[in-house]
């Protein structure tokens, strides 16, 4: 199931998935490359996230609490998928399931606020097993109604508020406690670095509630708004990667995670298209899914090794299989390394560090991890 948002709106897509009781992942992507994922089980929403959300969003919701330390402890301080991190703090008894459900509902509402107004872009639904374990399941129609109501009210706050990523700076020393009463909003967060969206996460309020409370302070110039993204540095170009994977979700996530680190990434689900991209963009690194149907990563690697142009280009096989079972096969086709799926952001960055960042010896730093196997 896929389509163009000019022809069918997001609300209609949600109604169809709910009516047909679908299970799988819904990708929503804008023309500018922003994208979101909504996970479904039997026509109900289990979880929703944006690529930008991974890594920091859960930490925002746990901001200023001992739970943030618990998250670091349960994940070993490593980057992990947001949903897995939330489940970890619940499983270890640090967070009651009801509180986890409330956080999930805020996360889903945040995504719906962004995607429901979209009128350009595309969507694609992949049927597959639902998320496990289940922390909650939400009625999509009720959440959509509430999100659309908030979107309409948000538009009435224009031009005071233009974007959820606008940042706020407190200009006076006057007590703002009365204005922020009931929102659990610490005035010290108005530091010129924290966006409206992060303020909503910190206090576990809706974006609309935060904006309504702050509007009088902005009008009175007690608080000033800074542009979205103020102070962010431009990214440098570190190298080019072609990635082919059977999952559209993996492709879009990899594009975002590596793109924000300064890599140029072309991630596709079609191995034939990937083969053409390799010759077109001349990548510094190629990653192929070992479980692709038709032309898998092993076959793709073997084909490229026949070309003098790509005989020495690093090629990594991404696979769900155990390393002892596939290392011999990967080496036989000339692969440089294997990467175990599922992987964390830290695994990806360390892999690229190993292959693309030069050192005095001409290669990247050594990387040892149970999810990664290098053959040289």
């Amino acid at each position: 199931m896929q389509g163009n948002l000019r022809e069918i709106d997001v609300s209609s897509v949600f109604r169809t998935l709910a009516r047909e009781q679908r299970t799988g992942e819904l990708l929503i992507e804008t023309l500018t490359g922003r994208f979101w994922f909504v996970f479904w089980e039997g026509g109900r929403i289990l979880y929703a996230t944006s690529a930008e959300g991974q890594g920091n969003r859960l930490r925002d919701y746990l901001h200023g609490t001992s739970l943030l330390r618990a998250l670091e402890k349960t994940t070993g301080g490593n980057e992990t998928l947001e949903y897995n991190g939330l489940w970890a703090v619940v499983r270890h008894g640090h967070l009651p399931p009801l509180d986890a459900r409330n956080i999930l509902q805020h996360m889903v509402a945040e995504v719906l606020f962004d995607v429901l107004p979209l009128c350009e872009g595309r969507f694609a639904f992949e049927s597959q097993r639902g998320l496990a374990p289940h922390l909650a399941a939400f009625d999509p129609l009720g959440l959509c109604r509430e999100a659309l109501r908030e979107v309409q009210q948000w538009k009435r706050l224009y031009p005071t508020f233009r974007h959820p990523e606008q940042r706020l700076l407190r200009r006076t020393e006057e007590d703002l406690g009365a204005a922020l009463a009931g929102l659990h909003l610490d005035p010290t967060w108005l530091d010129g670095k924290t966006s409206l969206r992060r303020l909503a996460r910190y206090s576990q309020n809706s974006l609309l509630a935060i904006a309504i409370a702050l509007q009088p302070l902005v009008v009175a110039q007690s608080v000033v708004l800074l542009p979205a993204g103020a102070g962010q540095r431009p990214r440098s170009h570190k190298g080019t990667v072609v990635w082919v994977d059977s999952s559209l979700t993996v492709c879009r996530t990899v594009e975002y995670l590596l793109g924000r680190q300064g890599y140029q990434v072309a991630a596709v689900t079609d191995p034939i298209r990937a083969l053409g991209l390799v010759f077109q963009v001349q990548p510094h690194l190629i990653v192929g899914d070992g479980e692709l149907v038709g032309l898998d990563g092993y076959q793709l690697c073997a084909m490229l090794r026949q070309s003098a142009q790509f005989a020495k280009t690093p090629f990594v096989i991404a696979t769900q299989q155990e390393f002892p079972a596939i290392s011999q096969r990967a080496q036989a086709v000339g692969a440089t390394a294997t990467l175990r799926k599922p992987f964390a952001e830290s695994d990806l960055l360390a892999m690229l560090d190993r292959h693309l960042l030069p050192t005095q010896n001409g290669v990247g730093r050594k990387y040892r991890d149970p999810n990664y196997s290098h053959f040289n």
Side-chain angles (χ1 to χ4, degrees):
M1 177 182 177
Q2 57 185 348
N4 192 310
L5 294 180
R6 285 187 174 182
E7 300 170 355
I8 180 172
D9 60 53
V10 176
S11 294
S12 297
V13 175
F14 276 45
R15 285 195 295 270
T16 299
L17 296 176
R19 183 178 64 252
E20 297 179 358
Q21 299 184 351
R22 302 289 289 272
T23 297
E25 298 177 19
L26 174 66
L27 165 72
I28 301 170
E29 183 176 14
T30 68
L31 298 179
T32 58
R34 290 192 69 198
F35 54 94
W36 299 261
F37 302 108
V38 185
F39 295 81
W40 296 72
E41 174 82 25
R44 295 174 69 82
I45 296 177
L46 301 181
Y47 169 61
T49 186
S50 66
E52 294 93 334
Q54 288 299 328
N56 293 323
R57 196 168 64 152
L58 179 56
R59 288 179 171 81
D60 286 347
Y61 280 106
L62 302 181
H63 180 80
T65 72
S66 59
L67 292 172
L68 191 56
R69 186 175 300 174
L71 176 66
E72 298 292 337
K73 183 178 180 180
T74 54
T75 61
N78 298 319
E79 289 289 337
T80 186
L81 293 178
E82 180 179 76
Y83 190 88
N84 294 346
L86 184 59
W87 165 243
V89 293
V90 172
R91 181 166 56 89
H92 286 84
H94 300 299
L95 183 68
L98 182 59
D99 290 348
R101 186 186 190 281
N102 290 337
I103 290 176
L104 275 178
Q105 186 165 348
H106 278 289
M107 290 176 169
V108 172
E110 178 181 309
V111 169
L112 296 190
F113 183 90
D114 286 344
V115 302
L116 288 175
L118 295 177
C119 56
E120 288 189 320
R122 70 183 189 95
F123 69 90
F125 183 82
E126 290 185 354
S127 295
Q128 52 185 271
R129 289 185 302 173
L131 284 176
H134 288 184
L135 288 171
F138 304 103
D139 169 26
L141 303 185
L143 290 180
C144 282
R145 285 193 295 269
E146 178 61 21
L148 286 171
R149 183 190 66 81
E150 292 200 354
V151 168
Q152 293 303 317
Q153 290 187 265
W154 166 265
K155 290 179 179 179
R156 297 191 188 107
L157 299 176
Y158 183 89
T160 304
F161 296 105
R162 300 168 182 262
H163 196 282
E165 296 303 325
Q166 285 177 284
R167 300 160 195 270
L168 297 104
L169 177 64
R170 180 180 180 180
R171 293 188 61 185
T172 66
E173 295 300 322
E174 65 181 271
D175 184 14
L176 302 181
L180 306 179
L183 291 178
H184 307 290
L185 193 64
D186 188 336
T188 62
W189 296 341
L190 307 177
D191 54 6
K193 302 176 183 178
T194 307
S195 67
L196 278 165
R197 174 145 282 167
R198 297 192 83 174
L199 289 174
R201 294 173 186 166
Y202 286 178
S203 60
Q204 295 197 25
N205 286 291
S206 69
L207 180 69
L208 178 66
I210 295 296
I212 289 174
L214 290 173
Q215 186 182 33
L217 300 178
V218 174
V219 172
Q221 298 187 350
S222 299
V223 173
V224 295
L225 284 165
L226 304 179
Q232 294 182 352
R233 297 180 179 178
R235 297 176 299 192
S236 59
H237 173 41
K238 296 180 179 178
T240 303
V241 179
V242 168
W243 192 299
V244 56
D245 196 282
S246 57
S247 169
L248 189 60
T249 301
V250 170
C251 289
R252 291 297 175 264
T253 301
V254 165
E255 282 183 337
Y256 174 74
L257 293 178
L258 299 187
R260 70 178 181 179
Q261 297 295 330
Y263 296 97
Q264 292 186 343
V265 185
V268 295
T269 57
D270 182 353
I272 302 301
R273 184 183 173 197
L275 191 60
L277 280 172
V278 167
F279 284 91
Q280 178 183 346
V281 305
Q282 308 280 310
H284 300 95
L285 174 71
I286 306 164
V287 181
D289 184 348
E291 284 80 44
L292 274 171
V293 176
L295 182 66
D296 62 27
Y298 302 98
Q299 295 168 309
L300 186 62
C301 180
M303 292 174 63
L304 291 172
R305 290 303 188 230
Q306 301 303 312
S307 167
Q309 191 173 4
F310 300 106
K312 295 185 178 180
T313 301
F315 195 113
V316 176
I317 303 289
T319 177
Q320 296 179 357
Q321 299 181 33
E322 296 288 343
F323 284 149
I326 51 88
S327 59
Q328 186 174 0
R329 183 183 177 192
Q331 291 183 68
V333 298
T336 312
T338 55
L339 178 67
R340 179 76 183 278
K341 298 167 65 176
F343 42 76
E345 181 178 359
S346 56
D347 298 326
L348 299 183
L349 298 181
M351 178 188 70
L352 269 67
D353 186 355
R354 173 66 179 85
H355 294 295
L356 297 185
L357 294 185
T359 65
Q360 293 179 349
N361 296 325
V363 296
R365 294 190 291 273
K366 292 290 184 181
Y367 174 51
R368 300 186 182 279
D369 188 278
N371 283 346
Y372 178 86
S373 178
H374 188 268
F375 301 138
N376 295 330

